[in-house]
């Protein structure tokens, strides 16, 4: 992509409304635009990151055995009256009426709708386990939308829903999602700690929040430092082996970890003092087991091996991709801007032509642009005629993992400068080496 054609509305000034660094940097880097309180458009740079985050989530959901669907954002109120949540959900739910005066709502979550899909088709335990997920916009009329996409009113959620014959099956489904989450967050360069949590309006008695430690986090959290060294399961982890998955979950739930609502001073006191980590955190995922809370009132049952009807045992599993983009920035930035982990970077390489119009700089830049693109790298080529200082500032602000700087002095010697955004390390290397080195970036 040539920067001259790319819609990248960089802000020079720090936006006054932004209280935390991720919100400030997302606005400054032209990733998002606020449209109303707690509602944002995603501009090209932001959209590229959001898509990469969703793709990682999708791959890990699929790997664990879940199947992708897509449900509507607008839901009939009837379903929520069946479950009893229409009145319980309160003011966070945006209630709408259509032209026939039928009550609708903009979905804050989809337990009812997915239960309706399930009961429409599945009759036998032989069709279980089943886990259906979608990545869809949600609306919650939050009292205090703030911090940009971190706590917004309209936000993207990956929500998965599992259906099993009994508690044992449902617990195995819960465990699979637990392990998929560990892998998902790690692939985004994040260290997420699962913590026992309140279940709130979703319900049930078993729930974990996945928390990223960050000083700007909204929740106070307490955990054992051992979490920081626990191994995350590899790509080839066997999701069909319940015992193995259970063992991983046991390992990841053994040390103390709780959000402030669930904090237990007595248990905390048993953690050795040097191992106690009291910090703030951002909730990027939340998983729930709630058994028959929805299947019973909505009559979602299957025939078991005993020939009898059983209400299915369910769980639901959420991740906030839009919040995650902000959380990744909170975890990875410096005073000059964002530092994207390779896996979610909007482009791999910022190719900076320092002297557009200089025939050698133009020639080498074009050659590199073609070669990197050919090698499958995503390149943002700064071919604009700005000052070098401004170009460097933009490149640092938008935080692509590599910068390749093409200047008149370098090209005269057949060299370009390579800068690693994360470490700040710079190196002059021959053009052919740059092609070889960055052509192989994974
Ligand atoms: C689980 C999936 C649920 O809604 N039902 C379906 C369950 N859980 S949850 O914890 O309420 O939300 C899941 C994740 O969505 C993100 N999230 C938000 N992101 C941005 N702005 C918000 N206002 C917001 N509310 C929730 C979080 O990542 C949360 O973990």
């Amino acid at each position: 992509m040539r920067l001259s054609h790319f819609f990248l509305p960089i802000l020079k000034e720090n936006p006054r409304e932004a209280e935390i660094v991720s919100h400030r940097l997302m606005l400054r880097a032209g990733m998002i635009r606020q449209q109303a309180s707690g509602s944002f458009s995603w501009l090209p740079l932001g959209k590229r990151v959001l898509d990469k985050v969703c793709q990682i989530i999708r791959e890990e959901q699929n790997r664990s055995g879940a199947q992708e669907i897509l449900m509507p954002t607008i839901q009939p109120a009837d379903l929520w009256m069946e479950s009893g949540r229409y009145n319980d959900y309160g003011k966070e739910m945006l209630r709408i009426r259509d032209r026939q005066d039928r009550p609708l709502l903009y979905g804050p979550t989809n337990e009812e709708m997915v239960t309706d899909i399930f009961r429409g088709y599945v009759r036998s335990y032989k069709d279980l386990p089943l886990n259906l997920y979608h990545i869809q916009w949600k609306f919650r009329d939050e009292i205090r939308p703030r911090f940009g996409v971190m706590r917004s009113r309209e936000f993207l959620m990956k929500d998965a829903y599992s259906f099993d014959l009994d508690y044992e099956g449902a617990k195995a489904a819960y465990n699979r999602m637990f392990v998929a989450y560990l892998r998902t967050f790690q692939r985004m360069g994040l260290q997420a700690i699962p913590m026992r949590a309140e279940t709130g309006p979703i319900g049930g008695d078993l729930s974990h929040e996945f928390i990223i430690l960050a000083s700007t986090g909204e929740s106070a959290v307490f955990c054992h430092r051992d979490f920081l060294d626990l191994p995350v399961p590899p790509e080839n982890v066997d999701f069909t082996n319940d015992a193995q998955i259970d063992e991983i979950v046991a390992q990841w739930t053994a040390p103390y970890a709780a959000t402030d609502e669930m904090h237990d001073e007595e248990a905390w006191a048993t953690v050795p003092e040097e191992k106690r980590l009291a910090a703030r955190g951002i909730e990027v995922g939340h998983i729930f087991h709630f058994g028959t809370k929805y299947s019973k009132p909505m009559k979602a049952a299957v025939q078991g091996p005993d020939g009898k009807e059983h209400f299915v045992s369910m769980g639901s599993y959420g991740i906030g991709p839009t919040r995650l983009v902000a959380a990744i920035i909170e975890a990875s930035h410096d005073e000059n801007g964002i530092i994207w982990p390779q896996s979610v970077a909007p482009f791999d390489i910022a190719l900076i032509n320092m002297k557009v119009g200089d025939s050698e700089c133009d020639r080498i830049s074009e050659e590199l642009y073609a070669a990197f693109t050919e090698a499958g790298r995503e390149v943002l080529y700064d071919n604009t005629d700005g000052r070098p200082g401004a170009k460097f500032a933009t490149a640092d602000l938008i935080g692509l993992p590599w910068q390749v700087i093409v200047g008149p002095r370098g090209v005269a010697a057949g060299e370009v400068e390579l800068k690693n955004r994360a470490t700040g390390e710079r190196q002059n290397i021959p053009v052919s080496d740059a092609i070889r080195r960055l052509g192989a970036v994974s």
Side-chain angles (χ1 to χ4, degrees), residues 108-109 111 140 142 149-152 155 157 159 161 202 283-286 288 316-320 322-323:
T109 176
E111 279 80 6
R140 292 181 182 173
E142 300 269 354
V149 296
M150 193 71 91
R151 178 168 297 282
S152 48
F155 59 96
M157 193 196 288
D159 35 329
Y161 303 87
I202 306 296
E283 177 206 321
V284 287
H286 197 163
F288 303 80
S316 74
Y317 314 90
I319 291 183
T322 42
R323 174 179 290 183

Side-chain angles (χ1 to χ4, degrees), residues 55 126 165-166 188 205 238 240 282 308 360 370 420:
Q55 188 52 27
K126 290 181 190 153
L165 179 65
D166 51 21
M188 297 172 192
D205 48 18
D238 183 1
T240 64
I282 303 167
K308 292 191 184 132
E360 271 307 278
N420 180 306

